[in-house]
Amino acid sequence: MGPHSSSGFYVSRVVALLLAGLAAVLLLALAVLAALYGHCARVPPSELYDRGGPHAAPSPPGRQEPARTPKPGPTLETEVAPTPRNWRPPGPWDQLRLPPWLVPLHYELELWPRLRPEELSAPALRFTGRVNITVRCIAATARLLLHSLFLDCESAEVRGPLSPDAGDATVGRVLVDEVWFALDMQYMVLELGEALQPGSRYELQLSFSGPVYQDTREGLFLNLYTDQGERRALLASQMEPTFARNVFPCFDEPALKATFNITVIHHPSYVALSNMPKLGQSEKEDVNGSKWTVTTFHTTPHMPTYLAAFAICDYEHVSRTERGKEIRIWARKEAIAAGNADFALNITGPIFSFLEDLFNISYPLPKTDIIALPTFDNRAMENWGLLMFDESLLLLQPNDKLTEKKTVISYIVSHEIGHQWFGNLVTMNWWNNIWLNEGFASYFEFGVINYFNPKLPRNEIFFSNILHGVLREDHALVSRAVSMKVENFTETNEINELFDLFTYNKGASLARMLSSFLNEKIFISALKSYLETFSYSNAEQDDLWRHFQMAIDDQSKILLPATVKSIMDSWTHQSGFPVITLNVSTGVMKQEPFYLGKVKNQTLLTHNDTWIVPILWIKNGTTQSLVWLDKSSKVFPEMQVSDSDHDWVILNLNMTGYYRVNYDKFGWKKLNQQLEKDPKAIPVIHRLQLVDDAFSLSKNSYIEIETALDLTKYLAEEDEIIVWHAVLVNLVTRDLVSDVNNHDIYPLLKRYLLKRLISIWNTYSTIIRENVATLQDDYLALISLEKLFGTACWLGLEDCLQLSRDLFRNWMNHPENEIPYPIKNVILCYGIALGNDKEWDFLLNIYNNKTKEEERIQLAYAMSCSKDPWILNRYMEYAITTSPFTFNETNIIEAVAASEVGRYVAKDFLINNWQAVSERYGAQSLVTLLYVIGRTISTDLQILELQQFCSNMLEEHQRLTVQAKLQTIKNENLKNKERSARIAAWLQKNT
């Protein structure tokens, strides 16, 4: 697929003069004047962004163009206009990858953002900069390409060739005829008067300016925040994957590593941070006489542009020394004073030391700064020497004790520190193998945390945090392999899309599988060799496999059925994963691709390759020898089971393999019998696996739903909340809850589940009532309790409803008695549902006094739980009038329509208020609301009724979209009705 329509321009002197002449003759109009200043066209790319027409470039995010004053000096009048791609010659600027003509060696970079503490409300903050890039010429060329986006070029010079014997002394200067921008591929192009010579070094000297972003966290961006009661600002950078080009012209590809000398000019009241320690400071005056501080930093190691980092802030820090190297955590002054950064500081040093010892490679930088940004879109970034975190992922508040926050911070800090080796020290050659960075950093975060917390249930947490989510999304027809071919990429935005569940979670799962079929010693030995060999350099996926193969070849204990490359390529180069089916009567094992909704005739759904599958397994509770399924089908006589009561087999030991497991009916029956007889004989991770695999396979037509339901009979004996969580997530689904009015399944499900749930309920309700603090280190309980309590209350368990009343009223009367965080959503919702306007008004008052968006969203949804139509109507009236309440965090009408009572109230409300709703939330919100209101439709008559209802609300194209979507909803609901009917029949039989 070719690149999208052009958004760049190409101007030569000849073409410009011809265009000017033609315009004068044909249009009898004045030519548009543009100045060429120095060697740069004095029409910066930013002035092209607002040009109209089919080939106009998009406006840069958040850009407000200031008025420009022409610079004095000699000019050449010419007409400069954006030109479509088919008006300019084809060339390397049409390609996503840079041509291999130049290799950057060193950057001298100076940035000067005009941030002043007294001018925080300035509408358009900008920065200026200079960069001198030392390059080596590889192939003769009179045209230079480097990356630049939304930057205005002020001047461009090329010095050289540089003398190898006299430092950077030059023997010449190369004339720059023109500078132009190919915006679709984000290039700055320098047209030279003569060709650069292969083998020689040159220095590109560029001056530029650009915008500081306020609405997006890309490039150089602004954070506005409050600290100690005052409004303040900071600047920070985010370069990965392709945003360095938004900050300075550069060779913005991961393999083009170089060293950096960075200088930041800033207001004296701010601190400047970068990758390396401060080298020195001086003072300079601007043209207005204002004084600025010039901070220089030591030279970085060889690194890619995406790791260059800067921050300018008015922060405090805490620090400690680990193995002679300083670690500092920077945050808002009030957060530092409150000790919110102490937890992160105390774990950071030991994590660095653990990974240094594990890989036997020292962290190469002399310091580490970690900065907590008020707004960073819930992200973190591993910049070498200056790690950046959204403060919600780094700072631990006193009231976070009963949340999973402490564990989450530990994992994320471990992940980013893991990148100091996987990504920073050794970098993938290009973005198609970004999983080599993110997959291994994600894998090692679990190894690190388990080392420091050996009692944590490692396998269950990996399943909950990593494996469960990606297995739910991955399938044979997803167009996304972990490792992609470079030629598959044609646009820059495709690189940004790689930072997804497959890169992180599937990558980590494949690393874990590789470790499991080797052993920890060989796994770490191979990684040590890989990291040592490619330090300060770049690697391909095949380079990693080669080092694993070397480790395998150096020993004789582990025997593989194929090379490491053949085995792992079968997982990284194709999408999806296999379903492994074992017939325990015959020992026949087969593999097939997992599809969302298997059909009997699978001929249209082709999937060319098989996987080379490692099968770790247990028989009757005893771990067996590793076997391999390296073809579509194979016989394993040792896996046959008899009719004996104690004979059973489970494949995929500890769920280390990236696949789902199915059994013949006899195999499932044997496992079900074992669960009913002695569930503890089957490890927790495998009780979790059996439930999750069985319900997923039944949902997608690999097995009958009754087979999955049979596995729940033993649940009265299940005391592990994470297993209960898996059952409830799969059984008490949103579809099922929405379908209550159409089936008699609810009373059957209530009777069946409450009988089995009462024991686990009693355990945790007692803890909530008597000693809730004991949960603070129970991560699995913290992430599972909300589903358990929500289900118990939905099923009408009186003790759950009473506990909700008690906790809510106790909080009303004594606001210092906070509702326990793990169940706060449930208690807030049922407190409102079981209460009246007194409880609702109380919550509204709390909402109005909250400032954190997360808390306001939580309260806004809780207020939609009321079962009183007049309260819900008043709520929606408040929302569309917005006064005196804002309700800007979420669409209140949608929140109300999501409940059973609210669906009808919201529908009636729309009849008279649809125009106000459209004005408040946008015309598209009406479309979304209709999907919410119509979520239970199952007949064409219901679709027709809803279409008539909304006919005067929507435009014609919206009506067609809604009709198609409602048909899809109807078809899904009909399938769910069949499934629900079978569940009801099974419950009737087993209750």
Side-chain angles (χ1 to χ4, degrees):
M1 181 181 71
H4 57 71
S5 62
S6 173
S7 55
F9 70 95
Y10 176 86
V11 180
S12 70
R13 290 193 174 98
V14 174
V15 171
L17 291 172
L18 283 173
L19 288 174
L22 286 171
V25 173
L26 297 175
L27 302 176
L28 299 178
L30 292 174
V32 178
L33 297 178
L36 288 176
Y37 182 77
H39 296 297
C40 280
R42 284 299 300 144
V43 176
S46 56
E47 293 186 2
L48 300 177
Y49 296 144
D50 295 325
R51 303 286 180 92
H55 301 289
S59 298
R63 183 172 187 91
Q64 300 182 47
E65 189 64 42
R68 293 185 176 274
T69 303
K71 291 189 177 182
T75 62
L76 172 65
E77 293 184 355
T78 184
E79 181 171 341
V80 180
T83 60
R85 171 177 290 162
N86 57 6
W87 288 8
R88 74 181 188 216
W93 44 81
D94 297 320
Q95 304 301 314
L96 183 61
R97 299 292 301 274
L98 281 165
W101 303 334
L102 301 178
V103 174
L105 304 175
H106 179 71
Y107 291 81
E108 291 280 342
L109 174 63
E110 177 187 281
L111 291 176
W112 187 356
R114 299 312 198 272
L115 177 66
R116 297 177 174 90
E118 67 274 12
E119 296 179 4
L120 300 185
S121 58
L125 184 64
R126 293 183 65 78
F127 66 90
T128 58
R130 297 183 300 173
V131 64
N132 296 344
I133 312 173
T134 304
V135 299
R136 177 180 291 113
C137 180
I138 303 300
T141 177
R143 175 179 287 142
L144 309 185
L145 271 71
L146 64 164
H147 289 105
S148 177
L149 183 64
F150 303 145
L151 296 176
D152 299 342
C153 176
E154 310 296 343
S155 67
E157 296 183 5
V158 177
R159 296 170 57 224
L162 303 179
S163 170
D165 301 323
D168 285 346
T170 61
V171 295
R173 188 180 295 268
V174 180
L175 180 68
V176 178
D177 285 341
E178 298 182 69
V179 176
W180 58 276
F181 295 84
L183 296 181
D184 34 358
M185 290 301 167
Q186 304 176 358
Y187 290 133
M188 171 190 285
V189 184
L190 279 66
E191 303 284 0
L192 306 182
E194 61 184 274
L196 304 187
Q197 298 306 308
S200 296
R201 292 185 307 128
Y202 296 84
E203 185 176 76
L204 317 183
Q205 298 183 339
L206 304 166
S207 296
F208 55 90
S209 63
V212 173
Y213 299 100
Q214 298 190 33
D215 301 325
T216 182
R217 259 56 65 188
E218 298 172 355
L220 194 61
F221 62 88
L222 180 73
N223 263 196
L224 295 173
Y225 64 99
T226 301
D227 190 9
Q228 298 177 327
E230 295 182 7
R231 193 72 170 150
R232 302 189 186 183
L234 64 76
L235 291 180
S237 63
Q238 170 61 22
M239 309 299 200
E240 188 182 34
T242 59
F243 307 129
R245 65 194 67 176
N246 297 47
V247 182
F248 59 102
C250 57
F251 296 87
D252 200 10
E253 291 189 1
L256 297 177
K257 291 187 172 185
T259 54
F260 289 75
N261 280 351
I262 292 171
T263 299
V264 177
I265 304 174
H266 56 94
H267 191 275
S269 65
Y270 291 123
V271 173
L273 303 172
S274 188
N275 304 84
M276 298 298 287
K278 180 174 67 177
L279 176 63
Q281 277 190 330
S282 59
E283 189 180 87
K284 74 175 294 179
E285 287 189 5
D286 63 18
V287 292
N288 299 316
S290 299
K291 288 183 169 54
W292 296 80
T293 298
V294 180
T295 301
T296 58
F297 299 91
H298 284 273
T299 306
T300 70
H302 277 86
M303 65 182 196
T305 49
Y306 81 81
L307 291 178
F310 331 96
I312 300 173
C313 60
D314 182 16
Y315 267 8
E316 294 286 358
H317 70 272
V318 288
S319 65
R320 64 176 280 174
T321 300
E322 184 78 14
R323 296 183 175 177
K325 296 181 178 181
E326 187 176 31
I327 296 168
R328 300 184 295 185
I329 310 264
W330 296 81
R332 291 176 294 109
K333 294 177 180 179
E334 59 189 20
I336 293 294
N340 299 157
D342 293 350
F343 175 72
L345 179 67
N346 291 333
I347 65 173
T348 297
I351 293 171
F352 267 108
S353 295
F354 171 77
L355 289 173
E356 282 184 331
D357 294 340
L358 184 67
F359 300 127
N360 197 29
I361 298 174
S362 295
Y363 174 65
L365 271 65
K367 63 91 178 177
T368 298
D369 284 313
I370 302 178
I371 185 168
L373 303 179
T375 306
F376 198 38
D377 299 336
N378 290 312
R379 292 186 298 177
M381 179 62 201
E382 67 268 17
N383 309 303
W384 229 353
L386 180 54
L387 289 73
M388 297 189 182
F389 286 71
D390 190 299
E391 67 178 16
S392 67
L393 303 177
L394 188 69
L395 304 181
L396 193 64
Q397 310 281 351
N399 58 358
D400 286 332
K401 288 182 180 178
L402 279 178
T403 74
E404 64 273 25
K405 189 87 165 282
K406 190 175 178 181
T407 306
V408 168
I409 290 172
S410 300
Y411 280 121
I412 294 176
V413 170
S414 299
H415 180 99
E416 302 309 327
I417 294 175
H419 273 307
Q420 309 308 301
W421 286 265
F422 294 97
N424 298 7
L425 185 65
V426 178
T427 312
M428 73 281 145
N429 203 46
W430 203 67
W431 298 108
N432 61 313
N433 277 317
I434 182 61
W435 86 272
L436 296 176
N437 285 19
E438 300 298 349
F440 278 88
S442 298
Y443 170 74
F444 275 105
E445 66 185 75
F446 290 88
V448 169
I449 298 307
N450 262 82
Y451 175 80
F452 292 107
N453 303 276
K455 291 184 179 179
L456 278 177
R458 180 175 185 171
N459 294 317
E460 290 80 2
I461 292 179
F462 190 92
F463 169 82
S464 300
N465 287 11
I466 299 289
L467 191 57
H468 172 71
V470 70
L471 286 178
R472 190 175 52 195
E473 298 297 325
D474 203 5
H475 57 90
L477 298 183
V478 75
S479 58
R480 173 77 165 86
V482 166
S483 179
M484 309 276 280
K485 293 181 179 179
V486 174
E487 53 267 29
N488 290 352
F489 295 85
T490 58
E491 298 180 1
T492 304
N493 63 357
E494 293 172 339
I495 297 171
N496 299 324
E497 293 166 2
L498 291 173
F499 292 80
D500 62 7
L501 199 67
F502 300 104
T503 289
Y504 288 79
N505 293 31
K506 187 171 182 177
S509 300
L510 296 183
R512 180 169 176 253
M513 182 173 69
L514 177 59
S515 175
S516 73
F517 71 72
L518 300 176
N519 59 46
E520 191 72 7
K521 183 179 178 181
I522 293 176
F523 183 73
I524 297 300
S525 173
L527 288 177
K528 282 181 182 178
S529 173
Y530 165 78
L531 292 171
E532 288 169 359
T533 301
F534 295 100
S535 289
Y536 307 104
S537 185
N538 297 78
E540 301 276 5
Q541 177 177 277
D542 282 356
D543 295 319
L544 180 63
W545 301 154
R546 187 163 56 252
H547 282 265
F548 273 104
Q549 191 62 50
M550 287 161 52
I552 287 293
D553 293 343
D554 282 346
Q555 55 83 56
S556 57
K557 186 176 180 182
I558 304 292
L559 301 176
L560 301 180
T563 63
V564 173
K565 173 177 167 56
S566 297
I567 294 168
M568 294 307 296
D569 280 358
S570 76
W571 296 90
T572 61
H573 284 322
Q574 62 179 328
S575 62
F577 61 88
V579 176
I580 307 301
T581 301
L582 174 66
N583 186 314
V584 299
S585 299
T586 63
V588 173
M589 186 189 299
K590 66 174 185 177
Q591 61 167 292
E592 59 184 315
F594 176 80
Y595 293 97
L596 292 180
K598 182 185 179 185
V599 294
K600 290 181 180 178
N601 183 4
Q602 208 84 47
T603 54
L604 296 177
L605 305 177
T606 58
H607 199 274
N608 297 328
D609 299 316
T610 57
W611 291 263
I612 303 177
V613 187
I615 307 291
L616 286 161
W617 58 295
I618 54 175
K619 188 171 187 178
N620 306 331
T622 303
T623 302
Q624 307 295 308
S625 298
L626 169 70
V627 298
W628 289 87
L629 182 61
D630 52 0
K631 53 183 73 171
S632 59
S633 180
K634 213 167 179 180
V635 179
F636 297 96
E638 64 271 32
M639 293 187 183
Q640 292 175 278
V641 301
S642 65
D643 288 328
S644 165
D645 288 347
H646 301 285
D647 217 7
W648 51 272
V649 166
I650 291 179
L651 306 186
N652 199 7
L653 179 65
N654 293 326
M655 294 190 78
T656 53
Y658 188 70
Y659 50 85
R660 291 201 183 275
V661 180
N662 189 14
Y663 305 92
D664 65 326
K665 288 185 177 180
F666 184 55
W668 285 114
K669 179 183 176 183
K670 296 293 293 181
L671 291 167
N672 184 44
Q673 287 174 348
Q674 182 60 43
L675 285 171
E676 292 196 63
K677 185 169 27 184
D678 181 12
K680 296 296 177 69
I682 298 178
V684 176
I685 185 62
H686 290 297
R687 304 203 298 273
L688 194 57
Q689 174 200 11
L690 291 173
V691 167
D692 199 65
D693 280 355
F695 275 99
S696 177
L697 292 171
S698 69
K699 181 180 179 181
N700 293 287
S701 304
Y702 285 83
I703 62 174
E704 307 293 343
I705 180 59
E706 292 81 0
T707 302
L709 291 169
D710 283 341
L711 295 173
T712 67
K713 291 179 181 178
Y714 86 98
L715 281 174
E717 304 300 320
E718 182 57 75
D719 57 3
E720 294 288 344
I721 193 169
I722 189 64
V723 180
W724 266 104
H725 184 262
V727 171
L728 298 179
V729 163
N730 281 290
L731 189 54
V732 186
T733 62
R734 181 168 182 173
D735 292 335
L736 185 64
V737 173
S738 296
D739 227 11
V740 165
N741 291 338
N742 301 323
H743 284 91
D744 59 352
I745 191 173
Y746 178 77
L748 295 170
L749 192 62
K750 175 178 179 176
R751 198 154 64 242
Y752 180 81
L753 278 180
L754 287 185
K755 180 180 177 182
R756 289 160 175 80
L757 185 123
I758 195 66
S759 177
I760 192 85
W761 165 261
N762 286 338
T763 297
Y764 284 98
S765 62
T766 300
I767 292 173
I768 292 291
R769 286 185 167 105
E770 297 179 1
N771 193 10
V772 68
T774 59
L775 293 175
Q776 61 183 316
D777 293 321
D778 190 346
Y779 177 75
L780 293 179
L782 293 174
I783 65 174
S784 304
L785 274 170
E786 182 176 309
K787 186 64 178 178
L788 176 68
F789 274 64
T791 302
C793 284
W794 177 72
L795 292 172
L797 180 63
E798 183 54 40
D799 190 44
C800 184
L801 300 176
Q802 188 59 48
L803 182 59
S804 298
R805 291 188 196 97
D806 293 344
L807 289 173
F808 193 95
R809 288 173 183 168
N810 186 38
W811 177 51
M812 281 183 67
N813 297 328
H814 306 282
E816 70 277 9
N817 294 336
E818 284 278 353
I819 298 169
Y821 180 87
I823 57 170
K824 190 169 185 176
N825 286 331
V826 177
I827 303 305
L828 288 176
C829 186
Y830 279 93
I832 293 297
L834 299 168
N836 53 38
D837 58 328
K838 179 182 177 182
E839 284 79 9
W840 199 94
D841 290 342
F842 168 79
L843 211 59
L844 178 62
N845 184 57
I846 296 291
Y847 169 89
N848 285 326
N849 289 313
K850 293 290 185 183
T851 57
K852 289 185 178 179
E853 184 179 21
E854 180 185 356
E855 293 178 321
R856 287 170 68 88
I857 290 173
Q858 184 182 51
L859 296 170
Y861 275 101
M863 285 186 280
S864 72
C865 293
S866 175
K867 296 186 182 298
D868 290 333
W870 74 270
I871 290 178
L872 294 176
N873 267 299
R874 184 182 68 170
Y875 190 21
M876 291 186 288
E877 287 283 355
Y878 286 164
I880 61 172
T881 57
T882 72
S883 180
F885 316 111
T886 55
F887 301 115
N888 290 328
E889 295 79 21
T890 190
N891 187 320
I892 299 303
I893 319 301
E894 280 183 31
V896 169
S899 72
E900 285 306 304
V901 174
R903 178 170 37 151
Y904 303 105
V905 178
K907 185 177 177 183
D908 291 341
F909 183 83
L910 273 182
I911 293 173
N912 298 316
N913 297 282
W914 66 269
Q915 288 174 314
V917 171
S918 179
E919 289 174 10
R920 176 72 172 92
Y921 295 112
Q924 183 59 32
S925 69
L926 296 175
V927 174
T928 306
L929 266 170
L930 290 168
Y931 300 158
V932 177
I933 291 170
R935 65 185 179 273
T936 62
I937 59 173
S938 57
T939 68
D940 289 332
L941 186 61
Q942 289 172 317
I943 292 178
L944 183 61
E945 179 196 342
L946 209 52
Q947 286 177 308
Q948 292 171 343
F949 167 76
C950 69
S951 59
N952 64 327
M953 302 180 191
L954 304 178
E955 302 290 338
E956 177 62 25
H957 72 280
Q958 290 177 315
R959 286 197 289 269
L960 293 173
T961 302
V962 167
Q963 181 181 5
K965 177 68 174 180
L966 292 177
Q967 281 289 346
T968 301
I969 292 173
K970 182 198 81 170
N971 294 335
E972 283 295 314
N973 285 339
L974 286 174
K975 283 199 299 184
N976 289 335
K977 275 181 179 290
E978 291 179 23
R979 182 177 172 90
S980 294
R982 291 179 66 174
I983 293 173
W986 185 93
L987 290 169
Q988 185 76 54
K989 181 180 176 182
N990 289 277
T991 300

